[in-house]
Amino acid sequence: MTPMIDVVFLLLIFFISASANQIREFLLPTELATGSIESTETVPQEKPLGEVWLKLKRQGNQTIVELNEREYAQFDQLKQTLTELASLAPEIPVILDIEENVSLGEMIRVYDTSLAAGFYSIHFATDANKVTPKKKPITSPN
């Protein structure tokens, strides 16, 4: 019985020490929509009123943020506009639509700007065709 208790304590100490230096995963708290692997057909949906869509794209050496068909190259202007929107309705969800060539630092900067403006929920737009793996046909080894 004593060796079993020693093994349990050693395992407990191992898992505690192994998890002590882990990076917390709630730094960017957002919920991604779950998808179905079986359905690859996408139906275009209308954007309901009450959503703030921020599209991030690269033009040359600069990240441009598009909000309601208006482009913002300066983050100060974007922050001012987001602060005004959040003061009216902070419960409106902000959806970040990020192109592939936008750097992670710029995405986090826009995310933090949206949080600092006062919005409660910030989400990421995803492309179901890129997320869903293509099904390979099953072939016989012969």
Side-chain angles (χ1 to χ4, degrees):
M1 187 68 152
T2 304
M4 188 174 79
I5 293 173
D6 290 344
V7 169
V8 170
F9 281 126
L10 286 175
L11 286 174
L12 180 65
I13 291 171
F14 170 76
F15 285 118
I16 289 174
S17 62
S19 65
N21 293 327
Q22 293 292 323
I23 298 173
R24 297 191 185 267
E25 294 182 11
F26 59 86
L27 294 177
L28 296 175
T30 186
E31 294 180 18
L32 295 177
T34 58
S36 173
I37 295 177
E38 296 174 6
S39 174
T40 58
E41 182 178 322
T42 59
V43 178
Q45 297 177 356
E46 293 184 27
K47 298 177 186 174
L49 296 176
E51 290 181 343
V52 178
W53 280 79
L54 297 175
K55 181 172 182 167
L56 282 74
K57 55 187 175 182
R58 289 292 283 183
Q59 288 182 351
N61 295 340
Q62 191 173 19
T63 300
I64 305 294
V65 181
E66 183 179 320
L67 169 64
N68 295 335
E69 299 177 3
R70 182 175 176 197
E71 293 184 347
Y72 294 90
Q74 303 291 329
F75 275 90
D76 294 334
Q77 295 172 349
L78 176 67
K79 185 175 183 178
Q80 181 181 4
T81 304
L82 288 175
T83 303
E84 291 172 3
L85 286 172
S87 67
L88 297 174
E91 69 278 355
I92 295 175
V94 175
I95 301 171
L96 301 178
D97 186 6
I98 304 159
E99 289 187 354
E100 292 178 3
N101 56 353
V102 175
S103 69
L104 180 64
E106 296 295 324
M107 184 272 305
I108 292 174
R109 185 175 181 189
V110 173
Y111 184 93
D112 287 342
T113 303
S114 301
L115 276 178
F119 286 104
Y120 299 144
S121 63
I122 302 169
H123 305 279
F124 294 98
T126 58
D127 186 2
N129 293 329
K130 292 181 182 178
V131 174
T132 306
K134 303 283 186 198
K135 290 186 178 181
K136 294 181 182 179
I138 300 173
T139 58
S140 64
N142 296 338

